[in-house]
Every structure is written in C-alpha cells, then in structure tokens.
Amino acid sequence: MKKHKYIFVIGGVMSGVGKGVTVSAVGKILAARGFKLNLMKIDPYLNVDAGTMNPIEHGEVFVLDSGLECDQDMGNYERFLGESIPPENYMTSGMVYKYVIDKERALGYGGKCVDPVPYISEEILRRIKRATDRSRADISVIEIGGTAGEYQNMIFIEAARILKLRYPDNVIFVLVSFLPIPHKVGEMKTKPTQYAVRTLNSYGVHPDIIIARSDRPLDAKRKEKLAFASNVRPASIISAPDVDNIYEIPINFEKDGLSDTLLGLLKLKARQRNLNDWRKMVEGYKKAVEPVRIGIVGKYFKTGDYVLADVYISVIEALKHAAASLAKRLSIEWLDAVDYEESAGRLEELAAYDGILVPGGFGGRGVEGKIKAISFVRQSLIPYLGLCYGMQLAVVEYAREALGWPDAHTTEINAESKHPVIDLMPEQKKNLQDKNYGATMRLGAYPAKLRKGTIAAAAYGVQRVSERHRHRYEVNPLHIAKFEEKGMIFSGRSPDGRLMEIMELPSETHPFFLGTQFHPEFKSRPLTPHPLANSH
Ligand code: GLN
C-alpha cells in the first residue's frame, strides 16, 4: 500500500455528468503511459449489490466474470481498459455495513462499541487495500458515487481523507463537476462548482484537479476564475465538453495534457506514450458513413416522457463497437414491445431495419409483443439477435409456430403451460420457493462448447468460449429433440450438454437468426468487438 498511488474521483454539483466515463478515460490515458491500472467503484446505496434493483431505477445491471451484479460504470471501466475487473473492485454501503454488522454479531470486535468511524471507514480502506494488493497495479482510480454534499457518500470521502493523511504523497483528488450554461443567461457559470469545492473542503479534502463538464469547452476566462476561487492551478482545470462519442474523451483529456498533470501530482515518471490503437479506433467511428439500422425491441426505456437507453448501455456499446469495426454508421431505434401487442399492423415497420435485437428482460409486460416481433422477423428473413430473454422468447415462438404448440411458454410467465419450453432448473426452483432472490440467478462466466459447422462456431473461430450469464430460466432439456427435428440448432451448450447456450436457425433457411442464453454484450470492447455482433 505504501508505494501504490490513489486517485479518488468525486462528483460535484449534480449526478449524471459522466464520472464513470471520466474514471475510465483517466484509467486509459495512464495505462497508455505504461502503468498498470486498478479501477474501482463505490456505490453509496444500501443494496448489497445491484442485482435486486429495477432497471428503470438503476439502469443496466452489469455482470462481472465472477457473477457480481454491479453498476454499469464497471462496464465502462472494462471497455476502456480492455480488461475484466474482479469483484473486489466494487463496493456498496450495503456490502460494507453488512460485513461490519455480521462481524459485530459474531463478537468480531471483542466487545468494543462499533462506531461508523473508525470501523466503517477502516472496513472501506481494508477493501481498497484488498483490491489494490490483488491487482498488483501501480495506480488505483477510485470513483466515489453520488455528489459531494450528500449524506450517503460522506463516510467514503472520510475514508479517502484518512488514506491521504496516511500517505500524503500518494493520494490525490479529482472533482468532476458541472458548469451550467443557463439558457437565458447564455454564459457558463462557475459558481456551483466553487460551492462543490467548498463542500469538499468542509470534509478536509481539497481537489487537486477539476474536470469541468459542460455543454461547451471551458474558456480561459472561466478557467482563471475557477482556479482563483477554488485554489486549484489553472493547468489542473480540465475542460470536458460534451462529445458525440465517449471514446474520444481520453484523446480530449490528452489535448489538455491530463496524464502529464496526473503523473506530476503523483510524482511518477511516465514510461511511454501510446494511444495509437485507440486513436485509430476513434478515427474509424468518424470515417464510417454507410448506415446500419438496428431496431431494439424492449420495454424498459420509457420513463415518463424520457427515453432511458441507460438500461441497455452494454448492448448499445457492443453494437457501436461492431458497427465501427465493419465501417458502418450505426443508428439504433427503440421499439416498444407493447406497441406490437396493441396493433399487429405495426409489425411491418420492422422490415425497414437491417437487424432486430431483443435484449434481456424479466416479467410479463411486452412479452407477447416481443414474440410477435420475433415471429415477423423470422418469417420475413430479417436478421435477428436475441440476448437471454430474446433467445428464450425465440424458442417460445418457434415452439408455438414451427412445432405447433400454441400454448408453449416460459414458466416465468405461464407456469401451467403444457409445453414449458423454457423452465426453471431444480436449483432455481428452490431459490424461488425460499424467496432467496439476491445474487441467486445463474450469474457470471460459464463455458460453452460450440458445434462445428454452425454460425456461432464460424463467428467465434474456436470450439469453447466463456460468456457471462444473468438468468434463472433455461431451455427445457425435455424438448430439445423435438426442436432439432424441426430445424432449430443448439450450436452452443454447457460442457455437460445439459444447458442450451446458443440457438440458431440454419443459414440455408434464414440469413441470420441467433440467440444466446448469455449476455455477449458484457464482453464487447471497442478494440475487440464481440465476434457474434461483428460477424454479420
Ligand atoms: N427472465 C429471464 C430469466 O430469468 C431472462 C433474463 C435475462 O434476459 N437476463 O431467465
């Protein structure tokens, strides 16, 4: 812990200004200077993980190889760094408090009065140390969720302050703040950020760097003003205007010399400077002109009058990676599954897309609409990719129409169906009976064996793959032979042959109709797009 360097990233003014992407981009530019990075996320909520939260509430639940269900920022870290991140790198208040309370109940504190300080703050620091030790990295970038001034993240900022006190030369603070440009005033305002700095000061923490997020770049005048009022050197105030493509951010940061500033503050000597592959990838996005239109049939994206694409962020990013690598300009359209339940005539609109995707999902709303959409694209020979629920519902659709079982269903929706083609495995039945919902789905990385001569095997180019899962239900093994008789191919299976991992239709009968029980989107990265999305 002594030589290790820590960069704490804290938000100011308001949430949603891109702290996670900032952490990812900071990680990227430092990795490009030859250091090994360790990126961590702290979420102040009491949920022990993100798995039990409604997507509308929380956005996407990202799943690590280990199976930990966590915040979507972890997905950004993996995508920018090009590495899989271990579960030690994520913590919530719930995780920390649960550990301390369980330990207290087991007399683990020897009869002491267990106050939040020092017992919670020390537990936070223990977790940070555990992650940094495991990573063998040179530098950790640690995002503290929420905004300075909130009650819920104070203890984490306090832990960071203590770490700085112990290792004054090894810990720095970055404030990611928002500078509004009020419509009527037409001028960028620094005052809210000045207050955010003062709030941090009241915790005994001073930012070494301010990342100034805004619609537009920060001009010299405002930089001077903010520097003067906040006691931060002008060179340490980094302009971070909105961008079209988040992968440009590391390049923008480097225009302001951010890695040099960070390394100077951390007293580290750079070993190299190499963002070449990254720059080439970003250029690829700019050069792509030929359009590719993908329709996503889902249900979680409407909240009031707003579209909440956050719920499918890894799917969107994975499509972006694949499109750019094929030199296509991606346009995604959000198609509400419920619309197809109400008016079947609208299905015709699906013919306008180059591909239709049904992503993961839970529960009954919109299910019949998704099945109708799948039926339409299967029969109209429109390319189809189904992810998890999207695969399960494609199996249901096939059972109803190609196998002639009109009542076929997943038991998630109809437990009484005579043809439960998607069903619970015995271990999952027990979890549901016991109301044991947290972290009990089939989660994280599992291997699958691919069948030779299939679309999947050709796309991956290997015989065995590992992909991340998050589901309870499976293709019912009782009906496999019947599906195969009618042409469906299970091209990926668990090594014991018991679980169906990939379903496809023969390329002679459909140009591309494939579903995965796992979530390939979690492993797609801008420099290494996922083979399944990339193959067509
Ligand atoms: N609801 C389905 C299941 O639990 C699919 C889950 C998903 O799409 N992630 O198996």
Side-chain angles (χ1 to χ4, degrees), residues 350-489:
L350 298 174
Y353 294 92
D354 298 308
I356 294 294
L357 188 150
V358 174
F362 295 84
R365 198 172 61 81
V367 156
E368 290 304 321
K370 287 181 192 171
I371 294 174
K372 285 202 170 102
I374 294 168
S375 170
F376 181 86
V377 300
R378 183 173 63 80
Q379 290 173 49
S380 315
L381 305 184
I382 297 163
Y384 175 73
L385 182 60
L387 308 178
C388 206
Y389 216 16
M391 180 246 206
Q392 297 175 354
L393 296 178
V395 169
V396 170
E397 189 277 330
Y398 208 70
R400 288 184 186 178
E401 296 195 30
L403 276 62
W405 296 338
D407 73 323
H409 220 321
T410 159
T411 54
E412 179 172 357
I413 310 302
N414 177 6
E416 309 303 316
S417 168
K418 293 245 163 18
H419 297 101
V421 291
I422 306 292
D423 197 10
L424 288 173
M425 295 277 127
E427 55 273 30
Q428 286 297 348
K429 280 194 184 139
K430 171 120 183 50
N431 284 332
L432 293 192
Q433 269 160 13
D434 299 348
K435 290 199 162 45
N436 185 11
Y437 302 122
T440 59
M441 284 190 244
R442 182 167 176 236
L443 289 168
Y446 285 90
K449 267 170 65 183
L450 306 183
R451 187 162 137 191
K452 280 204 190 105
T454 58
I455 299 177
Y460 279 104
V462 290
Q463 282 169 10
R464 198 183 159 100
V465 295
S466 167
E467 293 281 5
R468 296 184 190 171
H469 295 247
R470 182 171 188 255
H471 59 105
R472 277 191 210 285
Y473 295 80
E474 307 279 352
V475 177
N476 191 334
L478 287 178
H479 302 297
I480 302 300
K482 195 85 187 152
F483 278 98
E484 287 178 330
E485 215 174 276
K486 294 285 177 188
M488 185 167 268
I489 301 169

Side-chain angles (χ1 to χ4, degrees), residues 13 173 175 177 179 189-201 205-212 218 222-234 236-237:
V13 177
F173 292 94
L175 175 68
S177 196
L179 287 84
K189 291 295 189 186
T190 64
K191 192 76 81 195
T193 298
Q194 296 179 33
Y195 287 137
V197 173
R198 275 184 216 166
T199 304
L200 268 188
N201 289 163
V205 165
H206 190 68
D208 298 278
I209 290 185
I210 298 177
I211 309 272
L218 193 70
R222 257 137 289 259
K223 205 176 246 196
E224 289 294 337
K225 197 169 168 181
L226 191 55
F228 181 77
S230 316
N231 210 15
V232 172
R233 289 183 314 130
S236 298
I237 298 182

Side-chain angles (χ1 to χ4, degrees), residues 243-254:
V243 287
D244 290 336
N245 177 359
I246 51 170
Y247 302 120
E248 285 175 25
I249 296 173
I251 296 168
N252 285 355
F253 279 172
E254 283 305 65

